[in-house]
Amino acid sequence: MAAGVATWLPFARAAAVGWLPLAKKTMPRPPVDKKSRSDEILFVNVSGQRFQTWKNTLDRYPDTLLGSSEKEFFYNEDTQEYFFDRDPEMFRHILNFYRTGKLHYPRHECIQAFDEELAFYGIIPEIIGDCCMEEYRDRKKENQERLAEDNEAGEGGDAPLPPNSTSREKLWRAFENPHTSTMALVFYYVTGFFIAVSVIANVVETVPCRPIIGTVKDLPCGMKYSLAFFCMDTACVLIFTFEYLMRLFAAPSRCMFARSVMSVIDVVAIMPYYIGLVMPENEDVSGAFVTLRVFRVFRIFKFSRHSAGLRILGYTLKSCASELGFLLFSLTMAIIIFATVMFYAEKGTKGTTFTSIPASFWYTIVTMTTLGYGDMVPNTIAGKIFGSICSLSGVLVIALPVPVIVSNFSRIYHQNQRADKMRAQQKVRLARIRLAKKGCTNAFLQYKDDGGLQDHDSGSTALCVKNRSAFEHQHNHLLHCLEKTTNHEFTDELTYSEVCMTESLGYRTSRSTSLSSHHGSSTTCCPRRAKRRPIRLANSTVSVSRGSMQELDTLHVQKTTVVPQSRSSLNARTEDLKLNCDDRDFTAAIISIPTPPANTPDESLPTSPAFPGILRNSRSTTFNPDTVKISSL
Amino acid sequence: MLNLDGLEMIAVLVVMGLFIKVLEQFGLFEPVGGEDSIEDDFELSTVCHRPEGLDKLQEQSKFTKKELQVLYRGFKNECPSGVVNEETFKLIYSQFFPQGDSSTYAHFLFEAFDTNKNGSVSFEDFVAGLNIILRGSINDRLNWAFNLYDLNKDGCITKEEMLDIMKSIYDMMGNYTYPCMQDDAPREHVENFFQKMDRNKDGVVTIDEFIESCQKDENIMQSMQLFENVI
């Protein structure tokens, strides 16, 4: 019900007096309104901006936050107002919805922000008024497309393969993203070259060459050097067949691949050759054979794998199918009308070229598209008049749907550009995220170094520890609890990688047997830069995240940007660290923290004295030596 | 005169038509009777009406100031121009009875509220009507109800008028009722009513008969008190 209508309910109830004398049965008792009937003004404070409204206004929509008792959660007793810590600009629109019954979408606002506000206030977006609904829908669709692209760009493309992918997956990836490996790139260029060669050969073989000595007639080159062309054709077809079979083998879903456009083009490109091989050389069939040779030109479409622009064009045409359909339909209508008129106008003329209406179609098309070959020309006055009208209208009819197609193309093209840009920035973005994550972990390690985890009763805690916010304290306490729960400790990746490297030689076999049951991916981990921490015993639990492996890989690269801090003594305690505290400025941002590399669980192992020596030379950041416990060196 | 074939004639006519259109575009050729079209655009489309002062309305009715304020706010919100026309009235009323067709009854109600018969209900009419219904005596209310039923306002209710009213009320119920709505339910109800109300069995119910019969009926008297606290 519309907003104001609720205020007319008293009137409708009053008008029910008209039924009373006619009533067959007695009337029920009216509901008793326990609350006070007088309307009151409510104060709503949104981030400092105070709004005032009648209570009745808000009560119009009882299934929203402001209309129900849910707003009592936000009531501030001290100031006698409802306080919301949200955007006051958006609240204006929300409140107007209550007042006028129509929700408007502000054009300058971000669609996601608006959606979030609506969700918070319990208003469903479907009730946006007609005036703003179109805009809202368009922006929402655009946003969703963009998000879908981001997801695709994120998960597809250039992310490194999980190490346990089969050769089939690797092959598929090589085909889809040629620049991931050099082999794929080589293959990409080779196929491209052969496509070009094949197309050029098709073209050149029809060019007339100098005749063979002894004959007079010009021969097409295809006939003269038929063997050479045949060999070239065979080679190309072999390459294409090989490529197609490889793709078919590598495709994750063979059915879907076989139905995709590109595979159809591939098949159409190579089929004529094979059919030509099996076809006998008699004259009847070779007519059809000639037709088949035409299909060889479809090889040029194989270039669309190599060119994004072609794909965009194809996609545009597909998405503009309705506009193209309209164009075609209107043109057809116009052609038929004008052809009929021209035919009857020119019927009387002797020796006219307008022999039938279908014959006039040709004239109409040529005139409407302003080609004007001049092979068919009207002679009568009526014919000339209608012919000129025909050419004028042709320009109009063709010009109308074209801007729609152009705008579609432009939109898709820009989307593509944006996707490319996102992909290019992907690496930078991921690296930044990893750096922040690492910063978080390092902050915790630093906190431990500073003795934050120890008892705070003594007054000797470092100033830098005290100055950390309550949030950091609590967060670090939480991480400490996790450490205690799993009986492992957090450490940084450099330490971990060092340890792993030294351990890898002796413990790879034992590790693989113990780990294969857990993760089944141990065989590929060690060749990578970040090695898995060796496991001392078969029954010890190791919690290593696969994800951290690749991140560690990149993190190591980022490490070089960190200013190396040389530690005088690894076993320094809190006291010595006081001076170095303020050099750290790791931001303890809460991004999802990667599961830290596993430490050995057994705390009974002593810190090997030889071990710190190795680490001292290669480490570039501080760490707590207690965290590094290796079984043995 | 000119030796033109049919088609050539058509062609020439088409050309002439296009020529005239072009001249019109340039303003050199005004078709006959086109001068009125310009002024029509400036006609005022909305009529604005302001009610009497709050004090005056308070004198005229038995509502308190606050009640009048609440009433006016709702009224103004739905009808910013200050008057309700029949279409809006029907629309508002139909929102309360979504199942059936309340347009006929809303029409009758509109007639009852529109005391000066000018096709629109202003806020004063609105308040006056509500004043009678909600703050008037039982007799006043009965009078108002009688006025509602008496469609041609001639002082007596005929069976046809009553039938119209009854049908409109039954229309508001819609199709899906339990028990199923019989076609002659309104007529039967009217017969019932006339049997009760028509004292002298002359086929019409006058205002005195109506009030007398209603005063005798306990149910009706009791139910008249029901809607007192609506505002």
Side-chain angles (χ1 to χ4, degrees):
Chain A
M1 281 210 311
V5 173
T7 58
W8 282 71
L9 185 61
F11 157 74
R13 297 179 68 202
V17 161
W19 306 335
L20 296 180
L22 308 175
K24 276 189 176 169
K25 300 245 174 82
T26 50
M27 292 288 171
R29 297 176 61 79
V32 179
D33 202 356
K34 296 194 190 70
K35 298 185 299 208
S36 77
R37 298 308 309 258
S38 65
D39 210 356
E40 45 168 339
I41 293 186
L42 297 179
F43 296 92
V44 180
N45 186 342
V46 183
S47 302
Q49 208 165 324
R50 290 184 95 224
F51 296 87
Q52 297 174 9
T53 181
W54 293 107
K55 187 166 185 306
N56 275 356
T57 311
L58 294 182
D59 286 342
R60 285 177 191 163
Y61 295 100
D63 53 354
T64 57
L65 185 152
L66 290 171
S68 63
S69 57
E70 195 183 342
K71 62 178 183 282
E72 302 302 325
F73 285 104
F74 298 93
Y75 190 68
N76 188 351
E77 294 287 344
D78 307 325
T79 51
Q80 300 273 310
E81 62 189 10
Y82 295 91
F83 181 73
F84 294 99
D85 198 8
R86 314 282 300 187
D87 188 356
E89 295 292 325
M90 298 279 204
F91 189 75
R92 201 169 56 84
H93 298 284
I94 307 279
L95 197 53
N96 275 342
F97 163 63
Y98 285 90
R99 291 178 180 143
T100 63
K102 285 204 274 276
L103 181 62
H104 294 279
Y105 168 60
R107 282 180 191 170
H108 55 272
E109 298 284 356
C110 173
I111 185 90
Q112 268 187 317
F114 188 67
D115 271 343
E116 279 169 16
E117 293 294 312
L118 285 187
F120 178 80
Y121 290 108
I123 298 173
I124 46 173
E126 275 72 30
I127 51 172
I128 290 183
D130 287 335
C131 42
C132 299
M133 189 49 130
E134 291 250 358
E135 174 85 15
Y136 176 78
R137 282 237 169 92
D138 287 342
R139 293 274 287 263
K140 191 125 193 235
K141 200 163 65 127
E142 210 182 312
N143 201 40
Q144 274 172 350
E145 277 175 10
R146 194 178 307 177
L147 283 179
E149 272 168 32
D150 281 358
N151 282 341
E152 273 175 31
E155 69 196 27
D158 310 336
L161 270 180
N164 55 344
S165 56
T166 62
S167 61
R168 186 175 152 181
E169 283 174 11
K170 279 198 274 215
L171 193 61
W172 178 248
R173 217 156 147 284
F175 274 124
E176 291 297 302
N177 299 295
H179 37 274
T180 44
S181 78
T182 36
M183 256 319 277
L185 209 58
V186 162
F187 189 67
Y188 178 76
Y189 283 124
V190 160
T191 43
F193 173 71
F194 272 98
I195 296 173
V197 158
S198 160
V199 169
I200 292 174
N202 279 350
V203 166
V204 166
E205 76 180 3
T206 61
V207 171
C209 280
R210 267 200 304 247
I212 312 172
I213 307 177
T215 63
V216 185
K217 207 171 63 157
D218 262 351
L219 224 54
C221 281
M223 297 266 185
K224 197 164 166 202
Y225 302 105
S226 59
L227 190 61
F229 279 106
F230 182 73
C231 289
M232 214 172 334
D233 203 23
T234 311
C236 294
V237 168
L238 277 178
I239 301 262
F240 297 151
T241 318
F242 172 71
E243 184 207 353
Y244 181 68
L245 289 175
M246 284 280 101
R247 275 184 204 263
L248 194 62
F249 166 69
S253 156
R254 299 215 172 108
C255 257
M256 282 218 20
F257 173 74
R259 284 202 302 233
S260 73
V261 175
M262 287 311 301
S263 97
V264 166
I265 291 178
D266 287 339
V267 169
V268 167
I270 58 180
M271 273 329 251
Y273 178 81
Y274 290 111
I275 295 179
L277 279 185
V278 303
M279 214 163 5
E281 280 295 337
N282 57 355
E283 277 300 315
D284 304 328
V285 201
S286 75
F289 178 59
V290 165
T291 320
L292 274 179
R293 284 175 85 88
V294 169
F295 282 100
R296 288 188 309 169
V297 80
F298 275 83
R299 288 179 196 165
I300 204 170
F301 283 114
K302 287 165 70 74
F303 266 131
S304 61
R305 278 212 183 91
H306 299 251
S307 154
L310 263 183
R311 278 199 299 271
I312 294 178
L313 189 62
Y315 186 61
T316 309
L317 290 177
K318 198 167 65 166
S319 68
C320 299
S322 67
E323 279 83 30
L324 285 176
F326 166 69
L327 176 61
L328 214 61
F329 175 66
S330 60
L331 268 179
T332 311
M333 253 176 47
I335 286 171
I336 292 178
I337 292 174
F338 280 109
T340 312
V341 169
M342 290 307 293
F343 171 69
Y344 283 112
E346 290 289 309
K347 199 162 178 213
T349 317
K350 214 154 152 289
T352 187
T353 44
F354 295 81
T355 50
S356 65
I357 294 186
S360 310
F361 282 166
W362 174 242
Y363 168 75
T364 316
I365 292 172
V366 166
T367 312
M368 281 184 94
T369 52
T370 69
L371 279 173
Y373 287 134
D375 54 347
M376 287 166 82
V377 171
N379 292 106
T380 60
I381 297 176
K384 288 185 175 157
I385 290 174
F386 287 116
S388 40
I389 298 175
C390 170
S391 75
L392 287 174
S393 65
V395 170
L396 280 176
V397 167
I398 292 181
L400 286 177
V402 166
V404 178
I405 299 175
V406 165
S407 77
N408 250 359
F409 180 81
S410 158
R411 182 176 60 90
I412 296 172
Y413 177 70
H414 283 305
Q415 266 180 10
N416 224 46
Q417 275 200 321
R418 206 174 41 223
D420 286 342
K421 247 195 299 191
M422 300 231 78
R423 256 191 292 266
Q425 293 169 352
Q426 192 84 337
K427 283 209 161 140
V428 178
R429 258 198 337 208
L430 280 176
R432 235 185 308 138
I433 291 175
R434 287 170 199 158
L435 188 58
K437 283 190 201 171
K438 186 199 76 166
C440 188
T441 318
N442 281 355
F444 178 61
L445 295 175
Q446 178 59 34
Y447 185 77
K448 278 204 287 192
D449 286 348
D450 297 344
L453 295 179
Q454 288 163 7
D455 214 349
H456 289 290
D457 285 347
S458 59
S460 65
T461 48
L463 197 64
C464 54
V465 172
K466 273 202 208 135
N467 280 346
R468 296 248 170 85
S469 66
F471 175 80
E472 284 194 35
H473 281 300
Q474 289 162 6
H475 183 216
N476 292 328
H477 173 253
L478 185 66
L479 292 174
H480 191 56
C481 288
L482 181 61
E483 282 184 342
K484 291 283 180 244
T485 309
T486 56
N487 214 6
H488 287 60
E489 290 193 7
F490 290 106
T491 184
D492 59 0
E493 90 293 351
L494 191 61
T495 319
Y496 176 78
S497 59
E498 293 299 322
V499 171
C500 191
M501 242 193 334
T502 52
E503 278 304 308
S504 63
L505 302 167
Y507 277 82
R508 191 176 300 194
T509 50
S510 66
R511 179 183 60 243
S512 52
T513 51
S514 61
L515 279 182
S516 56
S517 59
H518 289 283
H519 298 278
S521 57
S522 48
T523 48
T524 53
C525 76
C526 258
R528 298 177 67 86
R529 182 66 187 82
K531 308 275 187 301
R532 185 186 289 270
R533 179 68 60 102
I535 300 189
R536 189 174 55 90
L537 301 168
N539 58 0
S540 63
T541 55
V542 179
S543 59
V544 184
S545 76
R546 296 270 56 172
S548 62
M549 284 302 168
Q550 291 113 30
E551 289 167 38
L552 296 176
D553 198 14
T554 329
L555 278 173
H556 185 74
V557 174
Q558 297 288 338
K559 264 272 189 231
T560 51
T561 60
V562 177
V563 175
Q565 299 280 341
S566 60
R567 290 284 307 275
S568 49
S569 128
L570 289 173
N571 295 322
R573 296 274 82 182
T574 332
E575 301 80 51
D576 299 345
L577 293 179
K578 273 185 204 162
L579 303 168
N580 303 352
C581 267
D582 41 1
D583 295 340
R584 305 285 173 270
D585 56 347
F586 295 116
T587 55
I590 297 294
I591 315 176
S592 60
I593 304 168
T595 321
N599 297 340
T600 56
D602 199 347
E603 296 189 285
S604 60
L605 296 170
T607 314
S608 160
F611 175 68
I614 297 172
L615 292 176
R616 190 183 287 132
N617 299 331
S618 53
R619 231 174 359 95
S620 67
T621 187
T622 65
F623 74 104
N624 193 329
D626 288 337
T627 68
V628 180
K629 293 187 177 67
I630 321 285
S631 55
S632 68
L633 289 174
Chain B
M1 183 179 61
L2 292 163
N3 198 7
L4 292 171
D5 294 338
L7 213 58
E8 288 191 354
M9 179 83 77
I10 294 173
V12 169
L13 283 175
V14 164
V15 169
M16 275 174 54
L18 288 174
F19 191 59
I20 290 173
K21 282 284 168 211
V22 167
L23 282 184
E24 261 181 33
Q25 277 300 323
F26 282 112
L28 300 172
F29 186 71
E30 292 288 341
V32 193
E35 282 83 13
D36 303 328
S37 56
I38 308 173
E39 276 93 30
D40 290 339
D41 295 342
F42 293 110
E43 185 188 297
L44 284 173
S45 50
T46 54
V47 179
C48 213
H49 178 91
R50 283 212 174 79
E52 314 264 347
L54 188 57
D55 299 327
K56 192 139 180 259
L57 275 176
Q58 205 186 355
E59 282 171 31
Q60 288 172 353
S61 70
K62 299 205 190 76
F63 291 114
T64 66
K65 234 184 193 164
K66 271 210 172 228
E67 288 168 347
L68 282 173
Q69 282 177 340
V70 171
L71 273 177
Y72 188 67
R73 264 191 270 127
F75 187 85
K76 180 89 177 172
N77 213 10
E78 205 54 28
C79 325
S81 60
V83 290
V84 194
N85 57 5
E86 194 167 331
E87 282 307 310
T88 322
F89 200 86
K90 282 187 182 166
L91 191 70
I92 293 169
Y93 211 72
S94 67
Q95 309 229 358
F96 294 109
F97 303 99
Q99 260 204 318
D101 175 24
S102 58
S103 51
T104 328
Y105 187 69
H107 168 74
F108 295 141
L109 264 186
F110 188 79
E111 298 284 309
F113 270 89
D114 185 13
T115 41
N116 49 4
K117 300 281 165 271
N118 58 353
S120 61
V121 170
S122 67
F123 187 61
E124 290 96 337
D125 299 335
F126 188 66
V127 168
L130 284 183
N131 187 38
I132 299 176
I133 300 173
L134 299 176
R135 300 280 183 268
S137 64
I138 302 274
N139 269 7
D140 289 337
R141 293 177 200 176
L142 289 173
N143 255 317
W144 189 87
F146 187 85
N147 197 29
L148 175 67
Y149 304 147
D150 185 12
L151 298 179
N152 54 2
K153 315 286 180 244
D154 61 355
C156 45
I157 308 175
T158 62
K159 271 200 181 161
E160 286 71 30
E161 289 175 339
M162 202 64 232
L163 191 58
D164 285 339
I165 297 269
M166 204 60 80
K167 272 208 218 138
S168 70
I169 294 179
Y170 274 81
D171 279 344
M172 281 201 284
M173 291 293 295
N175 290 331
Y176 305 110
T177 57
Y178 176 77
C180 279
M181 189 78 74
Q182 308 293 337
D183 282 339
D184 60 347
R187 183 168 289 281
E188 188 217 314
H189 200 154
V190 169
E191 294 298 326
N192 231 335
F193 177 77
F194 266 77
Q195 212 174 10
K196 216 170 31 163
M197 299 281 169
D198 194 5
R199 297 279 146 184
N200 54 3
K201 307 286 176 228
D202 58 353
V204 292
V205 177
T206 63
I207 180 77
D208 304 310
E209 283 176 344
F210 182 71
I211 294 184
E212 202 190 319
S213 315
C214 285
Q215 279 175 340
K216 289 214 176 73
D217 190 333
E218 273 304 312
N219 277 339
I220 296 180
M221 285 291 120
Q222 236 175 5
S223 52
M224 282 287 178
Q225 323 276 0
L226 273 181
F227 294 105
E228 296 238 322
N229 302 326
V230 161
I231 296 286

